[in-house]
Amino acid sequence: MRKSHPVRRAVLATAATVSGIVLLLSLKPASDPGAAEAAGGAPPAAESVQGGARPVGDGTVTGDAAQTQYGAVQVRLTVSGGKITKAEAVQAPKGGQSDQITSNAVPKLNQAAVQAQSADVDAVSGATYTSAGYKESLQSALDKARASAPADTGGGEAAQAQTVTGEAAQTQYGPVQVRITVNGGKITKAEAVQAPKGGQSDQITSNAVPKLNQAAVQAGTADIDAVSGATYTSAGYKESLQSALDKAGG
């Protein structure tokens, strides 16, 4: 019988050892979390389109007007189911070339806001200032909508009740400021925390304010009739009421 060559035996032994090591490595489970994720593990949960912090309250809310080099830009949002369903500019630069720029840029910005569900929208080419003002007012509207959202949506109607005070409206006879209580999306109480006083104003206020409070609850909006003989007080009341509704998310 022919004896095996020593070199051949060494090569065969080395090959067998390498094959065994490869087999053991292939059977060892992955223990590195980073490697598992890179290999197709579940990605981290996506952040909410509303910023991941607090949901956006339903209703209509108007952002603060943003001043630009060519005029003010102010955005109003309609929110339903926690999502922006409509965006519109209630103020935008106008006059001269601004008319053309506004008519071209604003519809695109409105559409972008609804699609992005945030203020992270691209500027429209040729409308840099209008786009910047739009984004600023849009962010303000979103902030107001988030501030009006119930902190706990699982606690029933009681958890959703909120009290909001509108901005004071200045009138010829003194400021008017309205506070409302909203529950279940409806005004359940309205009251004037400031109203004209002194002299004849006391009589006018005592007559007009209760009627205005009642009208606000019945209408559920700031679209209420002025009280006869209290034109200035009524106008101021409606202005502050609208401000409170905006803060409450519509």
Side-chain angles (χ1 to χ4, degrees):
M1 179 180 292
R2 182 185 298 176
K3 293 183 178 180
S4 299
H5 197 282
V7 175
R8 183 180 180 186
R9 286 200 306 271
V11 171
L12 291 174
T14 302
T17 302
V18 172
S19 298
I21 293 173
V22 171
L23 180 61
L24 288 173
L25 289 175
S26 66
L27 293 174
K28 185 179 180 181
S31 58
D32 184 0
E37 184 177 337
E47 188 174 341
S48 165
V49 295
Q50 300 161 352
R54 188 172 181 178
V56 175
D58 288 355
T60 302
V61 60
T62 304
D64 294 332
Q67 300 300 323
T68 77
Q69 185 173 333
Y70 297 98
V73 181
Q74 190 171 26
V75 179
R76 177 186 295 143
L77 299 178
T78 301
V79 181
S80 179
K83 294 183 178 180
I84 301 172
T85 57
K86 183 181 180 182
E88 54 186 327
V90 294
Q91 286 192 73
K94 57 184 178 180
Q97 191 177 0
S98 292
D99 290 337
Q100 182 179 351
I101 294 173
T102 293
S103 64
N104 172 59
V106 167
K108 295 178 181 178
L109 292 166
N110 291 339
Q111 184 179 6
V114 175
Q115 290 178 341
Q117 294 294 306
S118 72
D120 186 16
V121 296
D122 292 332
V124 174
S125 178
T128 306
Y129 291 101
T130 298
S131 299
Y134 187 100
K135 291 173 68 175
E136 182 181 336
S137 183
L138 172 57
Q139 185 61 61
S140 168
L142 284 168
D143 290 343
K144 290 181 180 181
R146 288 192 183 98
S148 71
D152 180 10
T153 57
E157 286 190 6
Q160 297 180 14
Q162 57 177 324
T163 301
V164 183
T165 304
E167 301 293 338
Q170 300 300 324
T171 76
Q172 185 173 335
Y173 297 99
V176 180
Q177 190 171 26
V178 179
R179 177 187 296 141
I180 58 174
T181 301
V182 180
N183 194 347
K186 296 181 179 180
I187 300 174
T188 57
K189 183 180 179 181
E191 54 185 328
V193 293
Q194 286 193 74
K197 57 185 178 180
Q200 192 175 359
S201 292
D202 290 338
Q203 182 179 351
I204 294 173
T205 293
S206 63
N207 173 58
V209 166
K211 295 179 181 178
L212 292 166
N213 291 338
Q214 184 179 6
V217 173
Q218 290 177 341
T221 71
D223 186 17
I224 57 178
D225 293 332
V227 175
S228 178
T231 305
Y232 292 102
T233 299
S234 299
Y237 187 100
K238 292 172 66 175
E239 182 181 337
S240 183
L241 173 58
Q242 183 62 60
S243 169
L245 284 167
D246 288 343
K247 290 182 179 181

